[in-house]
Amino acid sequence: MPDRGSGRGPNGPNGPRGPRGPGGPRFSVGRPPRGARSLLITAAILAGLAILFAMFAGFWTDWLWYRSVGYTSVYRTELLTRASMFVGSGLVMTLVVGFNIWLAHRLRPPLSAMSMEQQNLDRYRMGIAPFKRWVLIGVSLVIGLIAGGSASGQWRTWLQWVNGRSFGVEDPQFHRDVSFYAFDYPFYRFVLGFAFAVIVLSTIAAALTHYLYGGVRLTTPGSRITQAATGHLSVLLGLFVALKAVAYWLDRYGLALKGGDFRNAEGWTGLRYVDANAYLPAKTILTIIAAICAVLFFATLWRRGWQLPVIGLGLMVLSAVLIGGVYPALVQQFQVRPNEQARETPYIQHHMDSTKDAYDIADASIEDYSGVSEASPETLRNAVGDTASIRLLDPSVVSPAFQQIQQVRGYYQFPGTLDVDRYPIGNEGAEQDTVIGLREMNVNQIPERNWINEHFRYTHGFGVVAANGTTVQSNGQPDFTERDLPQEGQLTDLGAYEPRIYFGEYTTQYSIVGGPQQEIDYAGEDGEVEYSYEADAGVSLDNYFVRAAYALTMGEPQILYSGAIGDGSRILYNRTPKERVEAVAPWLTIDGDPYPAVVDGRVLWIVDAYTTSNGYPYSSRTTLGDVTETSLTETQGDVIAQENQINYIRNSVKATVDAYTGEVELYEWDEQDPVLQTWRSAFPGTVHDRDEIGDELMGHLRYPQDLFNVQRDLLQRYHVDSADQFYSGSERWQVPDDPTQQGQSVPPYYLSMRMPDQDGQVFSLTTTFTPQGRDTLAAYMAVEADARSDDYGTMRILTLPANTTVWGPQQVQSRFNSDPDIATEINILQRGDSEVEYGNLLTVPLEGGLLYVEPVYVRGANTDYPLLRKVLVTYGEQTAFEDTLGEALDVVFGVTESGEEPPPEDETPPDEGEEEPPTDATLEEAIQDATQAWEESQQAFEAGDWGAYAEAQERLEEAFGRIEELEGGQPEETPSE
C-alpha cells in the first residue's frame, strides 16, 4: 500500500507524477512549462494594466476637458462628493452587514441538533469553513459597493442639504421654511431609506447565518430558535420598527408635498381636508405605536419570548389599516364629499398661492379688454405703426431661403427654426427685429467623407446671416442685413467680429485643430481659403499618453499615431452650447433654444438656464418635457432637465458660449433665488455677479421661451384669484393649437409691440388663450422680454368678455381659408408645382380690438424655398389678402395711412413711365375662368371622367396663361408697410 502521508504515492500531496524520459527532468501532467507560465503572467499583468488605463482614461480626459474650460472646481467638487458618499455609504453598509454576519456566527450554538436538516447543513458548513473570513469580507464588500454606488448618485441632495439657503417663506400647515422641504426633507428621506436598506440587509444576512449554523431551525424538533439568535434578530427588528416610527413622523411633512389629481389641478400638491384632519393625526398615532412596538422588540433581550413584540407588531399593522386607511376614507365619504367645496376652499387657496409664487406668476397684471374698437378707421390705420413692428419674416418658415440663398457651399447649414433678436439701424439708436442664423458646418455634406476631412479639414462654420424681420425684397426674398462670404452688411458696421463658428448647435463631432493639418476656412471668390485655429481652446495633444487616452475614449486608434497630429494640435469636443453649459453647471436645467448674438466683436451663444425644485410645498407639479412642447419643439430642441417633474422654477442664470473659443460664462440673473444661492455656495466662483454683464450683451438678453411656456401652461388654470372659481373650473383657459400645424400648441412669438398701458413699443413675448373647449379668444398675454427694461418679466394679460364672441386664432385661420376670393387666389398661387406655406399668425391688441396678421409664402418648383407673396390681415369683421402689409391694412380699415380712401382694388393708377395695368374686368374674367375650370376638373376627377378632366385642365392652363400675361405689366412692390 502506498504511504498517503509521505507524498511518494500517486495520491500524495505532490499529486500524480508524469513519466520521465531517459535522463529527462520530471514534470507534472497538465502543468505548463515555466516559459509559458511567464507569458501567461505577463499577459495577465498587461491585461490588468489595460483595464486600469481604460478606467483611468475616462477620468483623465474629463479632467483635461474641465481644465480647458476653466471649471476644474466643478468637476473636483462633484467627483469628491460622489467619492465621499460612495466610500462613506459603502463603508457603513460593509461594516454593519459584516458585523451582523460575524455576530450571528459568534452566537452560533456549540452543538448542532441531530436532524436531517442539520446534517444537510453540515456539508455547507464544512465547505465554507476554510474560507469563512473571505466569504464574510466578500459578501460585505459586494453589498457595500452596491450601496455606495447607489448613494453616490445622491450627490446633489447632499450638497443642497449642506449649503441650503432660506426661502423666507413658510408653508401654511407646519410653518416650516420652504428650504426644509426643498433641501432638508429630501436628504432626511435619503438617510432614512439608506438606514432601512442597512437594517433589512443586515437582518437577512444575520438570519441566513443563524440558519446555516443552527441558531434558527425550520424542521428540527424542539426549539426553533436559540436565545442568542432571538436577541440578535429582535434588536434588528426593533431597529427596523424604530425607523418605521421615524418614517411615519417624516410622512407628516411629506403631506405638504403629496401629489395627485384634484378637480382642475392635474398636478395637485399639498394637503387637502382629509390630509389635515385624518392622515395627519393618523401619522402621529402610528408614530407612537411604532415607537412602543420597537421598545417591545428591544425588551426581548431581558424577557424571553416573542409574544409581546408580535402583539405590538400586529397592533401596528392593524392600526395602519384602520387609522391610516379606513378612517381617512370615512372622513372623505361622510365629511368632505357632502360639502366638498366648503371643506376644500382653504386648501385650494393655499395651493393656488403657492403655485403662483413658485412659478413667479403671482404678479401677473390682468385687465379687462373689450375686443371691439370704437375708434375711427383713420385712427386705427395710423395706430398700427405705433403699436407694433409687425414681423413678416417667420423664423420657422424662412430657413430654407437662408439655406438656398446664403449657404454658399453645400456643407454649410442653418437651423430649421431661426432666431429673433434686435439690432440697431441707422445712427439714431433705433432697433429693428432681426431674424438671425449662423452658417454652421454640416460634415454629412462635405465633398468626400473620410477621417481627415471630417475631423481636421472641415472643422467650423463661417459667418452670421441676418435679415430684417419687418420687410422683404420686392421678389419676396428676405431683406438681408448681414450676408455673403466674406461678410457684408449692417452687423459688420458695428465693428469687425470673429465670424468662425467652431462651437454651435450642429457641431456634434470632435475636431483636431491648430496642428500641421490646415483647415478649410471658407469659400472665397478664388476658391477655398485655408486657416489654422489660433485660440488655446480644447485639450492639447502634446504627448502620447494624452493621445492614447483620447484614442481610447473617442474610439479612434488613429489619434495615437496619425501624422496629421503634431505640435499645436488641440482636440475640440462637447461643442454644442447646451452640452457645454450643462457640463460646467450640472445643477442647472438648460433651455431648449440657445440663440446667437454678435456682442463686442464676438459671436456668442446665449443660453438661458433654470434652477428648479420638486420640493415647494403646495405648489402644482408640472412635467417640463410636456409643457414646453410646441409646434417648433422638433426644430428648436428639448429642455435638458435635471428634474423633469418640478414645482418651482426660476430663470436664475444667463450663460454665454463663445462660438470661436468655446469659453463658457455664467451670470447670475435672479438675485433673489435661494436655489441659485445654494448652488453658488456649493460651487463658489463659478457664477459671475449680475452687474458684470456688459451693456452690449444686456441688449441681446431676452425672456426665455421655455419658461414662458411653463408659465402660460399654469396660467390656464391659475389666473383666477378665487378658490371658488378654481374649484368650478368655469374660467379655465387653454393654449390653442397652431392653426397651421394641427395637434401642436401654438408657440409664443417675439414681437416689438405696445400693450394698452405702455407708452411705446417694447420687445415682448406673446401668446393667446381660448376658453376650454372653444375656439373664441379668452385672453391675450405679453411679457416684457427686453432685459434692459426695468419692467423686464412683467406679465400683462388682457381678458376678453365672456359674453362676446371675439375670433380666436383657429377661427381667424378658418375665415381665411373659407373666404371664396382668398381661396381663388390661393389656388392660383398653387398652380403647377408651387406650394403655399402660412407663416406665424401674429396677434396685436389695437385700440380695443385685435389685429391678426399672417404672411403667406409660396415655394416654387424652381426655387425650392419660400418667398413672401401675400399678407393676410383681419380686424373685426374685415379681412384682406394683399401683396403688401400696407395694402392689406388699407383695405381692412378702408383708409390709407395718410387718411385717404384707398383706390378700388386692381385700379391703382400707375406711376409715370409704367404701362397701364389690366382692367378689373379683364383680370377678373381670367380669374373666374381659372376658378371655374379648376372646380370642373375636380368634379371630373372625382367622377372618373378623364376626358372632361383633360379638357378642364387645358382651359385651366389657358386661364393661367392669361393671368400671367395680364399680371406681367404690374410693378412689384415690397411687401412691407
Side-chain angles (χ1 to χ4, degrees), residues 54-72:
M55 296 172 62
F56 172 75
F59 291 105
W60 178 238
T61 53
D62 284 346
W63 173 263
L64 292 175
W65 185 86
Y66 276 97
R67 188 176 68 179
S68 73
V69 294
Y71 284 88
T72 52

Side-chain angles (χ1 to χ4, degrees), residues 519-537:
E519 310 162 43
I520 299 296
D521 196 24
Y522 67 91
E525 295 180 357
D526 299 327
E528 292 178 331
V529 179
E530 292 190 334
Y531 178 76
S532 183
Y533 190 62
E534 296 176 353
D536 59 356

Side-chain angles (χ1 to χ4, degrees), residues 293-316:
C293 187
V295 172
L296 293 177
F297 272 105
F298 294 143
T300 57
L301 289 173
W302 300 276
R303 177 185 177 89
R304 297 186 60 183
W306 290 71
Q307 293 84 358
L308 286 178
V310 170
I311 292 172
L313 187 62
L315 176 62
M316 187 178 74

Side-chain angles (χ1 to χ4, degrees), residues 542-679:
D542 54 359
N543 62 68
Y544 279 97
F545 182 79
V546 174
R547 291 172 65 172
Y550 277 103
L552 187 62
T553 55
M554 296 296 180
E556 181 49 69
Q558 293 186 76
I559 294 177
L560 182 60
Y561 55 79
S562 173
I565 302 175
D567 291 340
S569 291
R570 312 185 71 85
I571 183 168
L572 309 179
Y573 61 105
N574 289 348
R575 297 169 68 185
T576 69
K578 290 195 287 188
E579 279 180 320
R580 296 180 79 78
V581 175
E582 184 189 25
V584 303
W587 37 275
L588 289 174
T589 294
I590 311 303
D591 189 90
D593 184 30
Y595 59 98
V598 179
V599 179
D600 296 325
R602 315 292 298 181
V603 177
L604 299 182
W605 288 99
I606 300 175
V607 184
D608 286 290
Y610 312 107
T611 48
T612 60
S613 175
N614 195 25
Y616 200 103
Y618 280 95
S619 173
S620 178
R621 284 192 175 91
T622 189
T623 303
L624 281 178
D626 294 339
V627 300
T628 57
E629 184 176 357
T630 69
S631 59
L632 300 183
T633 303
E634 184 175 347
T635 55
Q636 286 186 335
D638 298 322
V639 176
I640 300 179
Q642 299 299 337
E643 293 178 295
N644 201 29
Q645 273 271 327
I646 64 166
N647 64 1
Y648 172 91
I649 187 170
R650 289 290 186 275
N651 177 212
S652 53
V653 171
K654 302 284 189 180
T656 63
V657 178
D658 192 300
Y660 183 73
T661 66
E663 181 181 8
V664 182
E665 300 289 353
L666 306 176
Y667 297 96
E668 178 186 39
W669 186 247
D670 189 334
E671 297 175 298
Q672 307 302 318
D673 178 28
V675 181
L676 176 60
Q677 302 309 318
T678 296
W679 287 118

Side-chain angles (χ1 to χ4, degrees), residues 659-941:
Y660 183 73
T661 66
E663 181 181 8
V664 182
E665 300 289 353
L666 306 176
Y667 297 96
E668 178 186 39
W669 186 247
D670 189 334
E671 297 175 298
Q672 307 302 318
D673 178 28
V675 181
L676 176 60
Q677 302 309 318
T678 296
W679 287 118
R680 291 192 72 177
S681 176
F683 295 96
T686 57
V687 180
H688 301 297
D689 293 335
R690 178 169 174 158
D691 57 16
E692 295 183 42
I693 300 176
D695 292 340
E696 191 168 341
L697 174 58
M698 186 71 77
H700 293 281
L701 300 183
R702 67 188 192 188
Y703 202 86
Q705 289 188 46
D706 283 330
L707 176 61
F708 188 75
N709 286 333
V710 172
Q711 291 172 324
R712 74 171 181 172
D713 179 76
L714 271 297
L715 283 166
Q716 294 175 111
R717 292 156 285 164
Y718 295 91
H719 64 277
V720 297
D721 295 323
S722 165
D724 294 338
Q725 289 177 307
F726 185 88
Y727 180 86
S728 68
S730 60
E731 300 294 324
R732 184 165 179 175
W733 300 337
Q734 65 184 25
V735 176
D737 287 343
D738 190 331
T740 62
Q741 298 187 40
Q742 296 295 328
Q744 297 288 343
S745 297
V746 62
Y749 295 124
Y750 287 105
L751 188 67
S752 291
M753 56 162 292
R754 173 174 60 85
M755 290 288 275
D757 64 333
Q758 293 177 302
D759 297 329
Q761 293 183 19
V762 177
F763 192 64
S764 304
L765 191 55
T766 66
T767 191
T768 54
F769 295 101
T770 58
Q772 187 174 22
R774 298 171 58 197
D775 290 331
T776 56
L777 197 67
Y780 178 86
M781 182 171 79
V783 61
E784 198 153 324
D786 191 338
R788 296 165 297 186
S789 171
D790 294 336
D791 292 331
Y792 170 87
T794 299
M795 292 183 178
R796 296 176 173 87
I797 302 175
L798 305 178
T799 58
L800 283 299
N803 58 353
T804 61
T805 302
V806 179
W807 301 110
Q810 287 284 1
Q811 293 173 316
V812 171
Q813 188 68 47
S814 297
R815 288 185 65 187
F816 288 158
N817 297 338
S818 61
D819 187 289
D821 294 333
I822 296 176
T824 298
E825 294 197 53
I826 292 293
N827 290 332
I828 294 172
L829 293 174
Q830 289 177 325
R831 61 183 179 266
D833 294 327
S834 298
E835 298 179 4
V836 169
E837 295 184 31
Y838 293 97
N840 37 218
L841 180 58
L842 301 176
T843 309
V844 178
L846 180 67
E847 300 296 319
L850 288 157
L851 177 70
Y852 287 94
V853 179
E854 184 176 55
V856 178
Y857 300 84
V858 176
R859 185 191 293 259
N862 296 326
T863 56
D864 197 29
Y865 61 85
L867 299 173
L868 182 64
R869 290 304 190 193
K870 292 286 186 178
V871 180
L872 281 162
V873 174
T874 188
Y875 189 85
E877 297 298 322
Q878 302 299 318
T879 299
F881 184 55
E882 301 297 329
D883 294 339
T884 69
L885 175 60
E887 291 176 359
L889 293 171
D890 293 344
V891 172
V892 163
F893 296 118
V895 62
T896 65
E897 195 168 9
S898 62
E900 301 175 357
E901 290 189 8
E905 190 174 356
D906 294 326
E907 291 187 6
T908 304
D911 294 335
E912 290 186 14
E914 291 184 356
E915 296 181 2
E916 184 74 19
T919 63
D920 269 352
T922 305
L923 184 59
E924 184 65 27
E925 287 175 3
I927 293 174
Q928 289 178 356
D929 290 344
T931 303
Q932 182 177 357
W934 181 80
E935 291 175 351
E936 291 177 359
S937 69
Q938 291 300 105
Q939 294 171 0
F941 178 81

